[in-house]
Amino acid sequence: MEVDYHFNNSVLMFKPEKYLDERGFFAETYNLKELKKLGVQTTFVQDNYSFSRSKNVFRGLHFQNAPHAQAKLIRVLSGSILDIVVDLRKESGTYLSHRMFTLSKRNFKQIYIPLGFAHGFLTLSSNTEILYKTSDYYYPDLEKTLSWEDESLNIKLPVKKTDLIISEKDRNAMSIDQLIED
């Protein structure tokens, strides 16, 4: 299994092994024992499925507050995304920095995002389907949305803002200053 570590070995991007034959392939996309070997101690309790009809759909940057913060394991079933994670762990040396990863059906990569990160994605193709696991259930009252436009994050999307398809909730996301005050 190919593994790339980010944010001081907290965020992992990896590619499960495919076992090919004349029929197609088989792959283990989730194996708790193998993830534990990589240092992931998370138990997942919920699967979520996201479908975006169009290219340039932006969702995020979402996170859930304690005591129900969520770690995530994300993979793309069809299409492709630019996945964005922002470190919100105040004690971290990478606090408020971000990384972007391309995940697609073609490259077959997955990303593990631990507790303490905001997460979002931009669809790079139409008809994009994403399946992701979470370590806790969804609690609407604890969900927060951080603005990708906050200048201090310095997130540069590969598309004009006017071309984004974005929900009202995500359009009205909080700034870093609002997050710190919260």
Side-chain angles (χ1 to χ4, degrees):
M1 176 183 328
E2 297 174 27
V3 182
D4 293 322
Y5 295 91
H6 301 273
F7 293 103
N8 300 321
N9 297 334
S10 299
V11 172
L12 309 178
M13 186 153 131
F14 61 95
K15 183 176 180 179
E17 179 122 13
K18 287 183 178 179
Y19 300 95
L20 302 159
D21 66 22
E22 67 280 353
R23 300 167 297 168
F25 73 86
F26 170 83
E28 287 183 352
T29 59
Y30 175 72
N31 181 313
L32 183 59
K33 185 170 55 175
E34 292 301 314
L35 284 174
K36 283 188 177 190
K37 287 181 189 175
L38 298 174
V40 174
Q41 299 298 318
T42 303
T43 301
F44 295 100
V45 298
Q46 180 175 314
D47 279 357
N48 298 323
Y49 185 95
S50 172
F51 171 74
S52 298
R53 187 178 333 279
S54 302
K55 180 179 178 178
N56 297 333
V57 169
F58 184 83
R59 299 179 190 264
L61 301 160
H62 302 146
F63 62 99
Q64 205 164 268
N65 280 339
H68 297 286
Q70 295 175 316
K72 297 177 180 176
L73 181 62
I74 299 161
R75 63 194 219 75
V76 173
L77 302 175
S78 70
S80 62
I81 63 172
L82 181 65
D83 201 271
I84 304 161
V85 294
V86 177
D87 189 350
L88 298 179
R89 303 168 302 165
K90 290 180 180 170
E91 71 286 351
S92 170
T94 56
Y95 178 59
L96 298 182
S97 64
H98 76 280
R99 301 280 188 286
M100 295 192 267
F101 308 90
T102 301
L103 304 177
S104 68
K105 177 182 178 179
R106 177 178 283 185
N107 73 17
F108 207 63
K109 292 182 179 180
Q110 295 180 205
I111 187 167
Y112 167 74
I113 305 167
L115 302 177
F117 286 82
H119 170 256
F121 64 87
L122 171 70
T123 60
L124 300 175
S125 59
S126 57
N127 298 315
T128 296
E129 298 174 87
I130 299 164
L131 181 66
Y132 63 100
K133 297 182 173 305
T134 60
S135 63
D136 206 334
Y137 301 103
Y138 175 62
Y139 290 90
D141 296 346
L142 296 176
E143 181 186 35
K144 301 285 184 186
T145 303
L146 179 62
S147 177
W148 69 271
E149 295 181 274
D150 189 299
E151 290 182 9
S152 63
L153 293 176
N154 198 31
I155 295 173
K156 305 286 189 229
L157 297 179
V159 62
K160 289 187 269 181
K161 180 180 171 182
T162 55
D163 291 338
L164 289 178
I165 301 166
I166 189 167
S167 72
E168 193 64 28
K169 175 182 81 170
D170 291 350
R171 191 181 325 274
N172 295 319
M174 64 191 339
S175 67
I176 293 294
D177 290 341
Q178 291 170 315
L179 173 68
I180 292 169
E181 290 171 7
D182 194 29

